[in-house]
Amino acid sequence: MTSNRTKEKVSNEVAKVKEDKKPTVIIADEMVPAPPPTNYNFFTERELEKILSNLDTLRDDVYPQVGSEQERIPANHSFPSVCLIGLGRCGSNIALEVATLVYRARSYYLNEFKNMEKQRLEKDGRPLRWIRRSLHLNATNALKPIFLIEPIVMLGDLDKDIAGRIRYSSQTEDGRFLENYTKMKIMDLSEVHAGGAGNAPILGQYLAKIILNKDTEKFSNPDWKFIHSYLIDSCGIKANQSRLYFYIFSAGGGTGSGMASEFGLAQQYAYMRKTFEVRPNESLDDDRHRSFVFEPIFTSGICILPNITSQQVSVSEALHINAGRLLCKYLSEEWDFSYNYDDEAESEASVMQRIRPWNAMMLISNDIMRYAEETDDAKAEEIDVNSMEKYANQYISQQIFNILTAQAVTTDYDENYFRRAGIDIGETIRLDANDLFMSLAGPVAVAYAESVVPQSKEALFGDKHNGIDIDDLFYRSIELPHFNKDTQAIEGISLLPIESARYRDALAKYKSGSYDASALNNLHFFKNCSSVVSIVSLPKDYKLSYVALNRLKSHLNALFPNTTLKRYALVIGTSANLSLTTLVAKSPCLSDDFITLIVSYIKRCFAKDKYRYDSTLDQAIIELIKAETFDEEKIESLVNQFESPAKILDTNWFAIKPMYEKKYRELIRDDSKFQSINDIRLSSENIKKTIRYLREIYRHRISRTKILSLSDNKPTELL
């Protein structure tokens, strides 16, 4: 029988065959591969007229004109300020659900409750019941429905029949959802690859490189160049008014996990390159919104982490490894962008090699839905995996809605919305893209809760703050996930700071101690948080007192003692309930789940053979994060230089690699743009940068401002 070593030797010899003048580098730990490329090779359209023409075409498709030729008035619509990009099966399903909910809200708004009785008789699931209540869509409610903003929604998957899957999975009443929701577009990428990424993120990433490095004019799908100009070529310019982009994907899969960061990098690359682009004055045109006026954008990944701690649900180890790869890659890119000043320079070359895929990455664990099920009178052994995914989708939809409404501009709403809703826009404290850009970076977790506001004046001016128990609202937002039966919302924290049993004990002490934050604020999740963004959403005509707002701020200050920056938004008229959303930045990377996923990936795909199955590497990484000095040699002694994708795939990696590289050469017939799949493997340098980032957050602290005086009085510390 041929030994594994002999097979590997033969495979290596086969891999040495040249396809052209440029050699293919062998994927073996003992061999040093070619250095990574000096540029990303992302295709970007350079002709301004083509970009603007593509945007005009997409705009006409998003805002189709109706009526006779005589009735039509030239439209000058702006793109919505928000875009959702759902990638992979999980990401596209969630984005589709958000689009469906918005479509339903719009249908109710435009039809003035014509179909209310029909809708009331339907057997709605929890997610729809939540949205009905939040948007005043109940048949018994006399209030007019709240019409939320309609984001542009882009759905992409390496699936030959994504349009068919979307068409038959959408649960709309009239069956014409795809035709009627014109702001949703499907990215048909099947001409590049039609069979998925095989649960291997490196393949999903490589296929995304082919898609994004190919000239858009050479795609057979005519719509791709319009979508590409919107997402990539025009981000941040005056002609494209979208300023917030949310990439939704599952970290445990191959397609979404691999494609999402590559799409994000392509957008950031095009955006950052504009900062160094100087156009002659005569080429600029202020008419038709054509000028390249540069404005900030905020991009966020919304990352669904796989189940980790569930004993009832058997989870494939590959899901943990894939998620760990994504987190490791992201933290290493964040380290280069935010903290790596060793090779700092203001040159274009230096900046362009230090980009990250998103400004922030929101983390939502599928495990949280298990806790929601357990606290909803369900037995643990009866938890259904599909239900968990559905509830996770609802939780994500809730958070997207709250973030969207917190930054939405008036042009995002129907022109009659404010007049009919009777809302004073002057009372709203809004977040814009720059607020989020400056406030949120790195990994982000969410804390969420909502309460039904009292209807009677007696309840409104009761013992609590305007009838609302603010302490309880805040507590529920950081609790283990659970259902609020009054609002049909899923409340709680999106990523547990520590193991669930220990966190339950800490929460119990916090509550029994009259919300004394000392029971919680020593956890790294709270203690090492650098910034928080809190969004308070109020129904129309409900006033939250300054006392109540100050109480919320006191809780935030006590629970997050070392935050450098706190931002607040007060949104009025977009919900029937009072809701609190708190976004926690950076410190979530120190949570148990986050560390566990990263180490599982390193052990499986990097560890030297003798360290793959014992706890040596686990303990070493924990010690390296905590140690006063970083011993890089310790990492080198434990891991190989490059990741081995063969450790995940149950097949011959050396036979797969040339198949995908041949596809690259056939679709992008430019040898200067060829990139081997070896070039996108993560290396031990990525591990070092990841640990450096974790060390930076682990050591985060602030110094209290002290009053300085020229008198002899002793300086005092500001409280």
Side-chain angles (χ1 to χ4, degrees), residues 59-66 72 75 77 179-180 182-183:
R59 186 183 289 105
D60 291 342
D61 197 24
V62 167
Y63 297 102
Q65 295 187 11
V66 295
R72 289 182 184 176
H77 287 289
E179 292 79 7
N180 291 341
T182 56
K183 293 183 179 67

Side-chain angles (χ1 to χ4, degrees), residues 192-471:
V192 172
H193 192 76
N199 203 39
I202 192 169
L203 297 182
Q205 183 185 349
Y206 195 64
L207 291 166
K209 278 194 174 294
I210 297 175
I211 293 166
L212 295 166
N213 293 0
K214 183 180 177 182
D215 189 333
T216 56
E217 295 289 345
K218 296 180 180 178
F219 274 79
S220 60
N221 178 9
D223 294 334
W224 173 243
K225 63 182 177 182
F226 308 132
I227 295 173
H228 188 279
S229 283
Y230 168 77
L231 279 181
I232 310 294
D233 303 326
S234 65
C235 57
I237 71 171
K238 187 176 181 180
N240 181 355
Q241 297 81 21
S242 297
R243 294 292 174 259
L244 269 76
Y245 298 86
F246 293 92
Y247 291 79
I248 310 169
F249 57 93
S250 168
T255 301
S257 180
M259 288 178 63
S261 64
E262 204 64 28
F263 270 70
L265 282 172
Q267 186 181 54
Q268 289 291 309
Y269 174 80
Y271 179 76
M272 293 299 293
R273 198 172 73 173
K274 294 185 184 75
T275 64
F276 297 100
E277 192 172 60
V278 179
R279 291 177 174 267
N281 291 332
E282 57 269 18
S283 70
L284 301 179
D285 181 5
D286 290 331
D287 295 333
R288 297 183 64 234
H289 304 286
R290 291 180 171 271
S291 136
F292 262 64
V293 177
F294 199 57
E295 295 185 21
I297 65 171
F298 176 79
T299 66
S300 175
I302 299 182
C303 174
I304 318 303
L305 298 178
N307 301 313
I308 299 178
T309 59
S310 174
Q311 300 301 314
Q312 290 77 33
V313 180
S314 178
V315 177
S316 168
E317 183 193 13
L319 300 182
H320 297 162
I321 297 167
N322 292 348
R325 182 183 192 272
L326 173 83
L327 299 180
C328 187
K329 179 177 182 292
Y330 178 68
L331 285 197
S332 65
E333 291 164 334
E334 265 294 324
W335 167 258
D336 273 340
F337 184 89
S338 299
Y339 296 112
N340 187 4
Y341 303 128
D342 294 339
D343 193 23
E344 187 179 23
E346 293 185 2
S347 67
E348 178 178 358
S350 173
V351 172
M352 295 305 294
Q353 288 301 310
R354 292 150 61 94
I355 61 176
R356 73 281 178 74
W358 314 287
N359 301 100
M361 182 166 69
M362 192 181 300
L363 303 167
I364 297 178
S365 172
N366 256 333
D367 268 341
I368 67 173
M369 295 306 104
R370 177 168 60 88
Y371 304 121
E373 285 268 319
E374 288 175 350
T375 57
D376 192 40
D377 301 326
K379 294 181 180 179
E381 61 269 18
E382 296 176 355
I383 296 174
D384 176 53
V385 177
N386 292 328
S387 295
M388 290 170 64
E389 181 175 302
K390 181 179 67 174
Y391 299 146
N393 291 359
Q394 178 189 341
Y395 186 89
I396 295 162
S397 300
Q398 292 171 185
Q399 309 322 319
I400 292 173
F401 273 25
N402 281 288
I403 295 171
L404 300 195
T405 55
Q407 65 75 52
V409 296
T410 55
T411 55
D412 286 329
Y413 291 87
D414 182 272
E415 60 182 4
N416 296 318
Y417 168 68
F418 291 103
R419 176 179 61 81
R420 300 180 71 172
I423 294 172
D424 182 1
I425 192 65
E427 295 180 349
T428 295
I429 302 173
R430 191 176 65 87
L431 292 173
D432 58 27
N434 206 34
D435 289 324
L436 296 175
F437 180 88
M438 302 301 291
S439 305
L440 296 177
V444 172
V446 182
Y448 179 78
E450 63 180 60
S451 294
V452 177
V453 300
Q455 299 297 318
S456 66
K457 291 185 177 180
E458 290 77 13
L460 189 63
F461 297 101
D463 293 335
K464 300 296 181 182
H465 302 288
N466 283 24
I468 296 291
D469 188 340
I470 295 299
D471 298 333

Side-chain angles (χ1 to χ4, degrees), residues 154-166:
M154 301 287 182
L155 307 179
D157 195 4
L158 297 174
D159 182 352
K160 188 174 183 179
D161 190 29
I162 181 175
R165 176 167 64 84
I166 297 301

Side-chain angles (χ1 to χ4, degrees), residues 499-524:
E499 189 271 328
S500 59
R502 293 175 57 204
Y503 191 51
R504 278 195 179 98
D505 292 341
L507 286 169
K509 292 178 181 177
Y510 176 64
K511 190 171 185 178
S512 63
S514 299
Y515 305 104
D516 179 5
S518 61
L520 289 174
N521 64 14
N522 201 41
L523 298 178
H524 295 299

Side-chain angles (χ1 to χ4, degrees), residues 78 82 124 132 139 165 223 228 248 250 275 556 604 627 635 673 691 701 704:
S78 296
V82 178
D124 298 329
R132 288 188 192 285
R165 176 167 64 84
D223 294 334
H228 188 279
I248 310 169
S250 168
T275 64
L556 287 168
R604 181 72 171 184
I635 285 292
K673 290 186 176 182
I691 295 175
R701 58 181 58 87
R704 300 294 179 186

Side-chain angles (χ1 to χ4, degrees), residues 470-478 510 555-556 559 580:
I470 295 299
D471 298 333
D472 181 64
L473 177 71
F474 184 81
Y475 174 78
R476 284 186 280 113
S477 75
I478 62 171
Y510 176 64
H555 281 308
L556 287 168
L559 192 60
L580 171 67

Side-chain angles (χ1 to χ4, degrees), residues 68-203:
S68 63
E69 292 293 335
Q70 293 78 14
E71 295 174 343
R72 289 182 184 176
I73 301 174
N76 189 23
H77 287 289
S78 296
F79 284 110
S81 62
V82 178
C83 175
L84 307 182
I85 304 105
L87 295 172
R89 185 189 64 83
C90 177
S92 57
N93 284 346
I94 293 170
L96 173 64
E97 180 165 343
V98 176
T100 304
L101 295 177
V102 173
Y103 172 79
R104 288 174 182 266
R106 178 174 178 80
S107 297
Y108 276 109
Y109 180 83
L110 295 179
N111 293 331
E112 298 286 346
F113 300 107
K114 286 182 179 179
N115 297 320
M116 271 298 189
E117 184 62 24
K118 177 182 176 182
Q119 299 305 321
R120 187 181 65 80
L121 296 175
E122 287 185 353
K123 295 181 179 180
D124 298 329
R126 276 193 176 106
L128 187 54
R129 293 206 301 273
W130 171 79
I131 201 69
R132 288 188 192 285
R133 186 178 185 99
S134 296
L135 305 183
H136 292 303
L137 301 184
N138 294 319
T140 58
N141 201 321
L143 294 173
K144 293 295 183 183
I146 296 297
F147 174 49
L148 285 173
I149 61 175
E150 291 184 284
I152 283 191
V153 180
M154 301 287 182
L155 307 179
D157 195 4
L158 297 174
D159 182 352
K160 188 174 183 179
D161 190 29
I162 181 175
R165 176 167 64 84
I166 297 301
R167 180 175 292 107
Y168 290 108
S169 63
S170 56
Q171 303 286 324
T172 51
E173 300 80 26
D174 55 18
R176 301 187 61 191
F177 173 65
L178 287 179
E179 292 79 7
N180 291 341
Y181 193 75
T182 56
K183 293 183 179 67
M184 189 179 78
K185 302 300 173 188
I186 294 176
M187 296 184 283
D188 185 352
L189 309 171
S190 59
E191 67 185 88
V192 172
H193 192 76
N199 203 39
I202 192 169
L203 297 182

